[in-house]
Amino acid sequence: MAGETVITVVGNLTADPELRYTQNGLPVANFTIASTPRTFDRQANEWKDGDALFLRASVWREFAEHVAGSLTKGMRVVAQGRLRQRSYQDREGNNRTAIELEVDEIGPSLRYATAQVTRAASGGAGGGGQRPAQQQQQVSEEPWSTPGSSTSADAWSTPGSFGDDTPF
């Protein structure tokens, strides 16, 4: 994608992502990221906040639903995407220009927090096409999935009980 301006922004969400649907039923989530630079003032021996950048951002399709269901107001996020400029006329007829971030990747910042990640249930990219319950059931049926357990289905925990053949 030559010629596009790709940036990474670290900041806090100013509100919960707003999930809407187009007339065609396509989900879109819009939100604002506030990024405030901080510098250390050696004379005052304290951190000083600079002017905040408020950047409107959007995500589409299933990604929009994931963002709306995962991120909330105040969360510190790391977002990477492409800057888009669009022109429009406001209600008074004045020409305006807006610069927005079309997000390609976003997630919580783990610098000051922890997160628990859950794989999405749908068959999207990297999703594997299985729902978490199906994945869990499949794992529990595998004899080598629970090392050290003493169940009779675990070929590794009771040596000699399954013969010399490999259990798979």
Side-chain angles (χ1 to χ4, degrees):
M1 298 187 177
E4 292 185 329
T5 305
V6 178
I7 65 167
T8 301
V9 178
V10 179
N12 296 74
L13 295 184
T14 61
D16 289 347
E18 183 180 347
L19 182 64
R20 293 185 178 189
Y21 294 87
T22 65
Q23 290 179 349
N24 296 333
L26 198 64
V28 59
N30 296 300
F31 51 94
T32 301
I33 301 171
S35 180
T36 307
R38 297 191 86 198
T39 56
F40 189 74
D41 183 348
R42 291 181 188 223
Q43 291 178 339
N45 199 32
E46 65 183 10
W47 289 95
K48 301 258 180 168
D49 288 338
D51 293 332
L53 167 70
F54 293 92
L55 187 59
R56 290 291 297 163
S58 63
V59 293
W60 291 84
R61 297 179 175 76
E62 189 177 17
F63 188 15
E65 293 172 334
H66 294 173
V67 167
S70 302
L71 303 177
T72 58
K73 176 182 178 176
M75 276 189 166
R76 186 173 180 86
V77 296
V78 180
Q80 181 270 324
R82 295 162 278 133
L83 286 180
R84 295 282 188 225
Q85 178 176 311
R86 63 179 177 88
S87 299
Y88 64 97
Q89 281 190 345
D90 65 13
R91 292 180 182 153
E92 289 80 38
N94 300 316
N95 290 329
R96 300 284 183 185
T97 300
I99 296 177
E100 298 172 341
L101 180 65
E102 191 174 298
V103 177
D104 292 322
E105 298 286 341
I106 189 168
S109 170
L110 301 181
R111 185 171 193 162
Y112 305 112
T114 60
Q116 174 113 16
V117 178
T118 304
R119 183 174 293 205
S122 71
Q130 290 185 336
R131 300 202 178 277
Q134 292 170 328
Q135 289 173 344
Q136 184 66 27
Q137 182 180 8
Q138 177 186 0
V139 169
S140 65
E141 291 173 357
E142 296 171 349
W144 52 88
S145 67
T146 52
S149 77
S150 60
T151 63
S152 61
D154 187 357
W156 301 112
S157 67
T158 53
S161 63
F162 286 92
D164 292 335
D165 293 333
T166 311
F168 38 79

